[in-house]
Structures are given as C-alpha cells and as structure tokens.
Amino acid sequence: MTGASGCVGHYLVETLIQETNHDLFLLVRNPGKLRIDYEARPGITVLQGDMREIEQFSDLLKTMDCAILAATAWGGPQEVFDVNVVKTIRLLNLLDPEVCEQVFYFSTASILDRQNQLLKEAGDIGTDYVRSKYVCFRQLSKLAIAPKIVTLFPTLLLGGDAQKPYSHISEGIAKESKWINLLRFFSIDGSFHYIHAKDIAQLVWYFLEHPLLEDEPHELVLGNPAITADQAIEEACAYLNKPIYFRIPLTQRLLDLIFAILRIKVEAWDRFAMKYRHFIHQNPITPGSFGMPTYCSTFADVLKLSGVMPRKKQ
C-alpha cells in the first residue's frame, strides 16, 4: 500500500489492521507521520521509501497479491507528474499479473463528467493534480495488469481527527464555517457529492474480501447521493441554528462583479468550475450500497465530523 500516511491512508490502514489478517506492507516516506499503532498485530511491515525511487522495491512488488495505490503528490508540476503518473505507472508495471489479484488505484471524480466519461476540460485546464490524474487514468488500459485494476473516483473527500490528518475539504470547513453567516443569504446553483475517508476504507475492505467479478464495473465513483448547494446551506443553517430570512441568487454576473471589485484572480479551472456548477456523476456508491452502515451520510455529519459544533439557540 502506498500513501499510508495520508488522510485516506490512515483510515485504510486502521481498517485493514482491525478487520483483516492480511500481511500489510506500507510504503511511506516518513514513518513518523504514521499515527496508527502499526505494531498492533503481527504481519505489518513499514517500508521507508519514496515513490520516485519505487524500483528499489521491484523484487518485493512481484510477490504482492494485492496493491492499494493511495499515494499522491500535490506540490510543483514536476513532482506531481513524476509521482502521480510516471512512477505510478512504473509501480503498476512492476506487479506480476500472474500473482497480483487486485489493484485499487485512487483517482479523482474531478476528471469525470456527469456521465462518468472523461471530462475534456480536466485534461486541458485542470490543476496540475487533476491533469496528472487524467493523464494517468488514460494509460491504465494499456498495462498488462489492467484487468486487475479497480479505479476508485472519490468525490469531495472528508476525514481527519485528532489521530489522523484532515483532508483539505474537512480542514477548510472547520476554518471557514463562519462564512455560513453570509452564504445563508445567497441561493447558489450547483450540486456535488461527498464521501468520508472512513467510508472509503470500508468500501476497499469490502471489495478486498468480495472481489469484483470480471463482468462487473471496475471504475467506481465514491460518494453519497448528490446534494445541491442550497440544500447544503439549509442543512448547515439548521445544524448551526442560523435562520434564513431571504436568499439572493448568486449569478455568474454577480460573481464576476465581486471578483472584479476585490481584484481576485481566478484560474482557468476555477472559472470553469463556477460555470459547470453541477459536479454530479452516475451511480455513486457508499457502504450503504452494499448493506453496510454509512459513517457520514448527511451534511450535518459533514460539519460535525469536520469539528464544527452547533451553537445553542438564542
């Protein structure tokens, strides 16, 4: 498994330690960032190394019967494409298709359109991270290991607590929840899915124990049913005991005016997102899709699990 020290990685490792007896090999650059007791049971090996030097584990990779690829780079363009594309493909090529039974590759739903097809704009004007995931996904079908790959497309990712690193979204919600005082007076045309890292870990565990059949879809969008921006604001206000007296439509023209007045520079991908608005997909799944409880299924759960506490009614 790569990416064990990240937000999703922590939940995955915790679940696999607690719910399975599998031998686990965790590749991390800095073992000090692992906040999980990886000595809780036998069969857990921490491999200190960098994805950019993945070849040093060539012999070991050929013995793996499952690979979970959750590592990702967010930094500069060179590191992002080297880790997210070049070395990820290299790792996949080092696996033995005759030995490895399953590969779980983490992409992002940002590269998919509303019909779960590749979104052209993601490859053209996406951030370095988004474009790297777009480029990597397009290469997967050409690999010898391709029939064994299950590609996971998480939607807006939540997660984190005192013992696990927060996702960018959860961290942002905790810091910026005060903006609900202003947002509650606007109506925003848009919709999205979200999913908690704990629910992602539960899904990976499920597919690990119940492998997908050859004729079943191997490209899976991970997320709760779509929620509109207005519904999210309403649920947030109900959770925080904030009344809504009126709502002003937040049109593109109004947004452009606000950005012009505040002299805010908007990158091409962000401008596209503001016009695209509805980042929704076909057949998203959660643990509930397979008869298991979903840890985070409402927007109130999102706020609570992001560390936002409601105020008492005045």
Side-chain angles (χ1 to χ4, degrees), residues 131-206:
R131 286 190 293 115
S132 71
K133 291 296 187 180
Y134 182 98
V135 171
C136 187
F137 178 68
R138 292 191 65 182
Q139 297 186 31
L140 298 185
S141 62
K142 304 172 186 177
L143 306 179
I145 198 76
K148 309 292 183 66
I149 298 175
V150 177
T151 304
L152 305 174
F153 298 95
T155 50
L156 291 183
L157 176 66
L158 307 164
D161 57 32
Q163 298 301 319
K164 302 179 187 68
Y166 280 94
S167 72
H168 295 303
I169 298 295
S170 288
E171 191 173 43
I173 289 173
K175 291 180 178 178
E176 307 299 339
S177 59
K178 60 182 180 294
W179 285 102
I180 196 65
N181 289 322
L182 177 62
L183 287 174
R184 59 182 166 151
F185 298 121
F186 288 95
S187 176
I188 303 172
D189 180 27
S191 48
F192 57 92
H193 306 271
Y194 58 87
I195 189 163
H196 196 280
K198 188 176 180 70
D199 287 321
I200 292 177
Q202 192 68 18
L203 285 167
V204 171
W205 168 83
Y206 180 83

Side-chain angles (χ1 to χ4, degrees), residues 29 70-76 79-84 128-129 132-133:
R29 283 187 296 181
T72 194
W74 302 85
E79 180 186 2
V80 167
F81 279 86
D82 196 26
V83 172
N84 296 356
D128 292 334
Y129 167 75
S132 71
K133 291 296 187 180

Side-chain angles (χ1 to χ4, degrees), residues 7-312:
C7 176
V8 172
H10 271 76
Y11 286 94
L12 283 166
V13 173
E14 182 178 70
T15 298
L16 295 176
I17 288 176
Q18 294 176 355
E19 303 297 332
T20 79
N21 292 316
H22 301 308
D23 289 333
L24 306 178
F25 295 82
L26 313 177
L27 176 64
V28 293
R29 283 187 296 181
N30 181 2
K33 290 186 176 181
L34 276 175
R35 307 177 194 174
I36 290 174
D37 182 9
Y38 48 82
E39 297 180 346
R41 67 166 175 81
I44 303 166
T45 303
V46 175
L47 306 170
Q48 184 170 5
D50 194 308
M51 276 287 290
R52 287 173 290 186
E53 300 170 351
I54 194 62
E55 288 82 4
Q56 68 178 300
F57 301 106
S58 296
D59 292 340
L60 180 64
L61 285 167
K62 288 178 175 22
T63 70
M64 292 294 105
D65 53 20
C66 179
I68 301 174
L69 308 186
T72 194
W74 302 85
Q78 184 62 46
E79 180 186 2
V80 167
F81 279 86
D82 196 26
V83 172
N84 296 356
V85 183
V86 178
K87 294 303 181 178
T88 295
I89 296 298
R90 179 62 177 145
L91 189 160
L92 287 164
N93 280 325
L94 289 171
L95 297 169
D96 185 344
E98 299 299 320
V99 175
C100 188
E101 299 172 2
Q102 293 187 89
V103 177
F104 296 96
Y105 165 69
F106 279 83
S107 185
T108 170
S110 295
I111 69 172
L112 301 180
D113 65 16
R114 295 166 193 153
Q115 286 73 47
N116 295 2
Q117 301 301 309
L118 279 174
L119 179 65
K120 183 176 182 297
E121 288 80 1
D124 293 340
I125 60 174
T127 63
D128 292 334
Y129 167 75
V130 169
R131 286 190 293 115
S132 71
K133 291 296 187 180
Y134 182 98
V135 171
C136 187
F137 178 68
R138 292 191 65 182
Q139 297 186 31
L140 298 185
S141 62
K142 304 172 186 177
L143 306 179
I145 198 76
K148 309 292 183 66
I149 298 175
V150 177
T151 304
L152 305 174
F153 298 95
T155 50
L156 291 183
L157 176 66
L158 307 164
D161 57 32
Q163 298 301 319
K164 302 179 187 68
Y166 280 94
S167 72
H168 295 303
I169 298 295
S170 288
E171 191 173 43
I173 289 173
K175 291 180 178 178
E176 307 299 339
S177 59
K178 60 182 180 294
W179 285 102
I180 196 65
N181 289 322
L182 177 62
L183 287 174
R184 59 182 166 151
F185 298 121
F186 288 95
S187 176
I188 303 172
D189 180 27
S191 48
F192 57 92
H193 306 271
Y194 58 87
I195 189 163
H196 196 280
K198 188 176 180 70
D199 287 321
I200 292 177
Q202 192 68 18
L203 285 167
V204 171
W205 168 83
Y206 180 83
F207 292 126
L208 187 62
E209 301 301 313
H210 307 84
L212 290 165
L213 300 177
E214 190 174 326
D215 60 348
E216 291 183 299
H218 279 50
E219 298 169 4
L220 306 171
V221 175
L222 312 184
N224 284 282
I227 183 173
T228 67
D230 282 354
Q231 287 173 329
I233 291 172
E234 289 161 9
E235 288 191 34
C237 287
Y239 175 79
L240 295 169
N241 297 312
K242 301 279 187 181
I244 299 176
Y245 300 111
F246 61 87
R247 304 183 88 168
I248 301 170
L250 189 60
T251 63
Q252 187 63 48
R253 182 174 296 181
L254 179 56
L255 274 173
D256 290 339
L257 178 61
I258 292 172
F259 292 145
I261 292 174
L262 298 178
R263 297 183 179 180
I264 298 174
K265 183 181 179 181
V266 182
E267 300 296 336
W269 176 250
D270 297 322
R271 189 168 293 281
F272 165 75
M274 287 189 294
K275 292 181 178 179
Y276 193 73
R277 292 178 179 261
H278 297 278
F279 284 85
I280 55 177
H281 308 284
Q282 302 294 315
N283 306 313
I285 62 171
T286 66
S289 305
F290 303 93
M292 300 178 290
T294 299
Y295 180 68
C296 179
S297 60
T298 70
F299 206 72
D301 291 338
V302 170
L303 295 171
K304 182 178 180 180
L305 295 170
S306 297
V308 179
M309 293 294 104
R311 295 180 179 178
K312 294 182 179 179

